[in-house]
Amino acid sequence: MKKYVILFLALVLFGMVSCKSTPTTTEEPSRSTVPDSTPAAEPETPDLGPLNRALARAEEARKKAQDFDGPAYFSGEWEAAETQYSGAGALSRTNKADVQQALVLYNSAADAYEGIFRESVPLYAQDRENEILSTRNEVIATGLTGQFPEYLYKADMVSTAALAQYKAEDYYAAKDSAASALSMYTALKTGAGAYLTRQEIVNRNFVHYDSENFSRADQAGLAAVNSYDTGENERAISEAEEAALRYKLALDAGWASYAADRGAIAGAERQKALDLKANVAVKEDFNNALKIYNQAETALRAKNHEQAAALYIQSESEFAAAGRMAVEKRRIAEEAIRLAEEKMIESEENARNAELILEGGAQ
């Protein structure tokens, strides 16, 4: 009996395993029910390589034209090129037609910029040459180049190098050399002007009127020379300008004080003339001197110190002359009075003698 039970259980378990291992079948859908989903073609991406090369060319040509003042020499052509350049920049970079149009515009603008550059270079070179020659002539006009020929020679060498570079079509090097030469001549011109002002201060003995500015001007002048020697041209110009300014302040202070001193001397001479009664004895001469003195006073109030000093000196001389004439006129008058008195005394003696003679004769 036990064997039958075991056999029965085995059959049941076998059946259960058989049921689990049987795959479940599902009905596949018909192919006619699957929709057709073919993807749409993507838009073609424009090739930006030629456009970028055209842009780079236009930018380079544009910069070269600007560097040589092309916009100033050819303003109309420049504006037309700028319109093309900006128009190309505004176009789309994703649309093939726009990219192609931008390519055309950039190339056209580059051609225009390059033409402007070629035409501008000789004009620019001529303008720089004119500036250099004009400034060089101003340096020579100071009369100081004979005293310091080595400084002018140094600038001339740089100017000559600029010309050689231009002829070799090394335009940027020529541009830099010309700028350097011009700054050197400018430093020399400014320094020479400062030196001439210094000479005037010394020659007129004005140093003591403003010794502080004079001393500081000397320091700036020496610094300018050192900067020029080391090739620091812009610094040399700045220092020479400071020296020129301080010498000018010292000179102005000198003229102001000198004019005041001359005014005091002229005023004293005027008082002497008044004391000598020149305003009465030689009225016309005194009034002429007074007119000049009043003009000096007006110039002094207007801070025209050099003119005031000259007028004071002139009026001083005129007052002194009027005083001398007054003295001489009084001397002549006093001499005439003395002679008249002598004649009067002589006449009185003659009269007394005559009277004595007559009295003697009557006896």
Side-chain angles (χ1 to χ4, degrees), residues 2-81:
K2 187 177 181 180
K3 291 183 181 179
Y4 289 110
V5 172
I6 292 171
L7 180 60
F8 175 78
L9 290 175
L11 289 175
V12 170
L13 290 172
F14 179 79
M16 290 174 65
V17 171
S18 297
C19 290
K20 288 182 178 181
S21 62
T22 303
T24 304
T25 59
T26 56
E27 184 178 355
E28 294 185 2
S30 172
R31 288 187 177 271
S32 60
T33 62
V34 178
D36 188 4
S37 57
T38 304
E42 296 184 359
E44 182 178 354
T45 302
D47 180 6
L48 299 181
L51 180 65
N52 291 334
R53 288 190 290 273
L55 171 60
R57 178 190 165 216
E59 288 178 340
E60 181 183 3
R62 184 174 184 267
K63 183 179 184 303
K64 289 168 66 176
Q66 284 180 316
D67 289 344
F68 289 84
D69 292 349
Y73 294 126
F74 301 99
S75 58
E77 291 85 346
W78 177 263
E79 290 178 5

Side-chain angles (χ1 to χ4, degrees), residues 326-343:
V327 170
E328 180 64 16
K329 198 168 184 179
R330 185 168 63 184
R331 186 195 66 79
I332 293 172
E334 290 174 348
E335 180 68 16
I337 292 171
R338 186 186 64 80
L339 291 174
E341 289 176 347
E342 288 179 353
K343 288 181 179 180

